[in-house]
Amino acid sequence: MFEVTGLKVNYGAIQAVRGVDFNVQDGEIVTLIGSNGAGKSTIVKTISGLLRPSAGNIVYDNRGLTHLSASRIVGAGIAQVPEGRHVFAGLSTMENLKMGAYLVPRNEQQDVLDNVFDQFPVLKERRNQDAATLSGGEQQMLAMGRALMARPKLLLLDEPSMGLAPIYIQKIFDMIKTINSQGTTVLLIEQNALQALQIANRGYVIASGNVKLSGTGQDLLADPAVQKAYLGG
Ligand SMILES: Nc1ncnc2c1ncn2[C@@H]1O[C@H](COP(=O)(O)OP(=O)(O)O)[C@@H](O)[C@H]1O
Ligand SMILES: [Mg+2]
């Protein structure tokens, strides 16, 4: 199990995350939904070791991650797909994917790459192409593929559908479901609350750096306050 308790994160005087508790059980898809500025990316970056909390704990399989380096957190089985994708321009699709596998033993990397190409055939077609020339949807798949190259047990996805054409949005949500059904636990951060709650086992509504509501995906979809604030109802 993955568990965050009492998490507080500041940027100087700005309290971006103000005491957040949530957990993700093995095998689940859990979503954090909330408006722009709610604190979602700050939570993800803190889990990944890119930001340090001012208080709270992050524990995975009984191991404290709170003060580990980003690289050790990847080594503990947690990989992130950052908001905005951040593929490496000037490097090919293949080179981008290999960057994700830096902790995987060299003699196992080909197997991992084959699995990612099975999952995302378009990345195989584009393997020699500069990542900067891929479409937005393809870059998102590359960012997901790169994270999967680390063979994570828990995958953090920060706004994977953001800025994508509608046909890609559906594809990305379908791929998240597939990745999960193949055994990877998923923490999905989204502003696209409808689709996120539809594929999630459970969700947490984040507002102003706090958890405002939590429940199963179905319960949150049916909640009038959620419908009014996040589902355009
Ligand atoms: N690097 C930063 N420096 C100062 N404030 C920041 C920084 N990044 C985010 N914030 C602030 O922290 C709050 C939460 O931001 P963020 O975690 O990016 O929200 P979300 O991902 O939910 O849109 C916002 O008020 C935002 O303006
Ligand atoms: Mg964000």
Side-chain angles (χ1 to χ4, degrees):
M1 179 173 81
F2 175 81
E3 187 163 35
V4 168
T5 47
L7 190 72
K8 296 185 183 180
V9 191
N10 304 326
Y11 298 101
I14 298 168
Q15 298 178 309
V17 175
R18 298 163 180 247
V20 159
D21 300 314
F22 67 93
N23 63 70
V24 186
Q25 307 290 322
D26 290 347
E28 280 189 314
I29 299 178
V30 169
T31 186
L32 307 183
I33 61 170
S35 315
N36 197 19
K40 306 181 299 298
S41 293
T42 303
I43 294 169
V44 173
K45 288 177 191 165
T46 308
I47 295 169
S48 302
L50 304 173
L51 293 173
R52 292 292 162 206
S54 64
N57 279 304
I58 302 168
V59 174
Y60 187 43
D61 286 346
N62 299 316
R63 178 176 176 198
L65 303 184
T66 321
H67 301 289
L68 294 188
S69 67
S71 170
R72 284 192 186 264
I73 289 166
V74 175
I78 301 179
Q80 70 147 334
V81 182
E83 182 179 311
R85 323 188 223 293
H86 295 278
V87 301
F88 302 110
L91 296 187
S92 68
T93 294
M94 182 79 106
E95 289 165 335
N96 267 271
L97 289 172
K98 286 190 171 163
M99 303 278 278
Y102 69 102
L103 294 177
V104 176
R106 200 164 275 274
N107 64 347
E108 296 173 27
Q109 289 189 3
Q110 188 61 46
D111 273 359
V112 185
L113 184 66
D114 289 343
N115 285 337
V116 168
F117 280 155
D118 284 347
Q119 193 99 56
F120 304 101
V122 71
L123 296 183
K124 189 170 187 181
E125 288 168 31
R126 304 259 189 269
R127 63 187 176 280
N128 296 319
Q129 200 170 317
D130 186 328
T133 66
L134 301 180
S135 73
E138 290 166 352
Q139 289 190 8
Q140 185 59 49
M141 290 181 213
L142 176 54
M144 289 165 72
R146 184 180 55 193
L148 290 174
M149 288 294 290
R151 291 189 299 198
K153 291 182 285 177
L154 172 64
L155 182 66
L156 314 176
L157 291 153
D158 193 355
E159 307 251 15
S161 78
M162 187 160 76
L164 297 186
I167 57 153
Y168 273 122
I169 295 181
Q170 195 49 56
K171 255 191 197 159
I172 294 294
F173 281 104
D174 287 345
M175 285 168 172
I176 295 167
K177 270 197 294 193
T178 303
I179 290 165
N180 175 250
S181 69
Q182 293 173 349
T184 308
T185 304
V186 173
L187 179 64
L188 170 64
I189 282 65
E190 267 294 335
Q191 279 186 57
N192 192 334
L194 177 62
Q195 268 157 311
L197 290 172
Q198 281 172 343
I199 67 163
N201 300 97
R202 294 184 300 114
Y204 295 82
V205 178
I206 310 291
S208 305
N210 290 296
V211 173
K212 282 282 143 74
L213 274 171
S214 64
T216 65
Q218 293 309 312
D219 285 348
L220 291 172
L221 281 169
D223 186 300
V226 173
Q227 290 180 356
K228 185 158 180 287
Y230 303 104
L231 302 174

